[in-house]
Amino acid sequence: MSGQAIICGGSIGGLFAAAALLRTGWRVDVYERSRAELSGRGAGIVTHGQLIDALAHVGADTDELGVETRERAVFDKAGDVVATMDYHQIVTSWDRIHQSLRSLIPEAHHHLGKSAVDYETGKTPRVTFDDGSVAEADLLIGADGFRSAIRARMLPQVQPAYSGYVVWRALAKESDLPRDVHEAVFERFGFYLPAGLQIIGYPIAGPGNDLRPGQRRYNFVWYSQVAPDKLADMLTDATGQHHAMSIPPPFVRDDVLSAMLAAARAQLPDPFFRILEQSERPFFTPIYDHLSPAMAKGRVALVGDAACVARPHVGMGVTKAAGDALTLAGLLGTGDVPGALAAYSDTRVPAARAAYDRSRQLGDWMLLDPPGGNPDGRNNPNLHDIMRLTAIADF
Ligand SMILES: Cc1cc2nc3c(=O)[nH]c(=O)nc-3n(C[C@H](O)[C@H](O)[C@H](O)COP(=O)(O)OP(=O)(O)OC[C@H]3O[C@@H](n4cnc5c(N)ncnc54)[C@H](O)[C@@H]3O)c2cc1C
């Protein structure tokens, strides 16, 4: 049985849901708040086998998906390798995944500049957008991210919680890296794990998915503790305007960037600091998480970050969204929409909880700061576990 679905949110979760439903004969319309086509500022995304299978299942192109790293390595403050692990993993970029899914959605059914503000549930769900227009269908999917308007209506008690740390992200061109820095870190999935902070870095494709050596980029992720009052200051722009929860990168004040670079110079191994120096303007994101106790009600379902955000240590956001989409599309074949959505929620809430719990465990280990702890990143008691469990989907 098929029908018509409204999908609010045209990022990876929404496009995965649209592509999966289209393959089962559903008609879909995607409504995205942004007025312009989305772009992910080049952010790196680690992949897992489940994600590559899901992309292939919906008909997305999986050729030349990204750069393959073959080894993980932990560095100490002096820049020496203190632990390694063989692990093959393809690291791709948000843009690469988004573009391959976006190409599967017919233009006539993809609507930009449409922000859902509310919905009603009668016999069929009816969504109201900020321009006053409405849309009605057999099924409504909230794929509108961690501050989801659809979830706010369905589960108002679920609120994202601040973790106590932010992530600074930066991208450096491979060709800009000094030779010694390139040799030390570029080809490996690298970690720096002293008490209280964490660095993860890996190579990704260059602009336009360019995988040629010399044309790639290094993706740099630095988790850094920030107290809530200091975070409020970092989220305030140069005009004094405070941005709730996160701040668009161009609005980050110069003095916030200068303070970050000074801290990086003092705290990071030299190769990582030099990569940061060579990077395009770094930007930060406060880390929040949340877990919805249900992922559907009646004829309304939540997918991806709207349903659950696990902190990024597990690298599961995109894979989890893909799993939500494929499970939902598979169950909807039965013809009973409310019944399929109830089964969907029963299946996917435990999957979301597993990622959420694992990511909190990894975050808690990072924040351990025993007196006289391991300032050089050599003797972290959980060093091998962090390397073995980060961004690996074995739960
Ligand atoms: C530092 C960091 C590193 C990460 N690393 C990884 C990784 O390695 N691997 C991985 O898999 N994941 C990773 N993630 C997570 C991943 O980016 C997200 O989980 C994923 O993009 C979620 O997709 P989504 O479509 O559910 O939500 P989002 O990408 O947040 O998209 C929601 C969309 O809905 C739109 N929208 C919002 N409100 C409305 C509305 N009212 N009406 C209509 N549209 C609306 C928004 O404009 C947006 O386009 C990382 C995240 C961070 C912060």
Side-chain angles (χ1 to χ4, degrees):
M1 141 48 199
S2 63
Q4 177 141 17
I6 295 167
I7 300 178
C8 293
S11 174
I12 289 181
L15 296 185
F16 245 122
L21 284 172
L22 283 169
R23 286 189 78 79
T24 59
W26 276 70
R27 285 161 288 131
V28 298
D29 279 280
V30 176
Y31 296 92
E32 163 56 43
R33 177 178 61 187
S34 169
R35 292 180 191 283
E37 285 287 350
L38 299 176
S39 105
R41 303 185 207 113
I45 296 287
V46 299
T47 70
H48 311 285
Q50 300 99 302
L51 174 61
I52 297 168
D53 291 347
L55 286 166
H57 180 86
V58 298
D61 171 20
T62 57
D63 289 341
E64 301 197 323
L65 191 56
V67 179
E68 184 179 16
T69 58
R70 293 163 181 272
E71 187 182 52
R72 293 180 164 210
V74 184
F75 297 86
D76 67 6
K77 178 73 165 68
D80 295 324
V81 172
V82 293
T84 61
M85 180 181 124
D86 286 341
Y87 191 72
H88 290 217
Q89 189 161 32
I90 294 175
V91 282
T92 182
S93 65
W94 190 95
D95 287 319
R96 168 71 179 81
I97 302 227
H98 182 264
Q99 280 163 14
S100 61
L101 292 170
R102 176 70 185 85
S103 68
L104 301 173
I105 314 303
E107 286 303 322
H109 297 278
H110 184 268
H111 314 277
L112 291 171
K114 288 286 206 176
S115 181
V117 289
D118 200 4
Y119 71 83
E120 292 162 32
T121 49
K123 191 158 176 268
T124 53
R126 186 178 149 93
V127 185
T128 307
F129 297 97
D130 58 345
D131 59 4
S133 60
V134 292
E136 194 167 340
D138 306 301
L139 165 67
L140 166 62
I141 297 177
D144 48 345
F146 87 110
R147 286 196 268 180
S148 166
I150 305 298
R151 188 191 69 241
R153 171 88 162 73
M154 185 197 289
L155 300 164
Q157 76 279 17
V158 176
Q159 296 292 336
Y162 176 54
S163 63
Y165 49 96
V166 305
V167 61
W168 281 97
R169 288 188 274 176
L171 280 173
K173 287 184 190 153
E174 183 177 9
S175 55
D176 286 345
L177 298 182
R179 183 189 290 260
D180 60 326
V181 171
H182 189 283
E183 275 174 11
V185 300
F186 190 82
E187 299 288 348
R188 293 188 277 203
F189 193 112
F191 295 81
Y192 175 51
L193 303 170
L197 69 89
Q198 185 175 113
I199 295 279
I200 293 178
Y202 47 80
I204 65 168
N209 200 40
D210 197 335
L211 293 170
R212 290 173 298 168
Q215 306 301 316
R216 299 167 295 178
R217 294 169 292 181
Y218 194 77
N219 182 69
F220 183 94
V221 171
W222 173 19
Y223 296 99
S224 171
Q225 290 181 68
V226 174
D229 57 333
K230 179 142 183 262
L231 178 64
D233 175 60
M234 289 171 69
L235 293 174
T236 303
D237 67 27
T239 70
Q241 190 193 335
H242 176 72
H243 298 257
M245 301 188 92
S246 65
I247 181 168
F251 290 100
V252 176
R253 296 193 320 268
D254 288 344
D255 64 291
V256 171
L257 275 172
S258 306
M260 178 275 292
L261 279 174
R265 184 187 290 278
Q267 294 174 19
L268 306 191
D270 186 59
F272 286 115
F273 174 66
R274 286 162 71 200
I275 290 171
L276 194 57
E277 269 191 321
Q278 296 296 334
S279 296
E280 297 161 21
R281 190 179 170 91
F283 60 98
F284 77 91
T285 312
I287 300 298
Y288 299 89
D289 62 9
H290 74 88
L291 173 67
S292 300
M295 284 169 60
K297 195 169 175 186
R299 290 174 172 265
V300 184
L302 302 172
V303 304
D305 282 9
C308 167
V309 170
R311 298 180 193 173
H313 313 294
V314 279
M316 277 298 286
V318 169
T319 303
K320 184 166 67 56
D324 293 344
L326 265 56
T327 304
L328 183 59
L331 289 164
L332 280 165
T334 59
D336 165 19
V337 173
L341 264 53
Y344 163 72
S345 183
D346 289 348
T347 309
R348 292 305 292 172
V349 169
R353 184 177 293 116
Y356 172 88
D357 287 345
R358 171 64 61 82
S359 70
R360 284 195 151 204
Q361 180 188 19
L362 284 161
D364 288 349
W365 279 342
M366 179 186 85
L367 294 179
L368 285 179
D369 197 3
N374 58 324
D376 67 357
R378 266 178 182 269
N379 302 314
N380 186 330
N382 299 301
L383 185 149
H384 286 275
D385 287 332
I386 294 174
M387 181 169 58
R388 187 173 56 78
L389 298 178
T390 294
I392 292 181
D394 70 343
F395 47 88

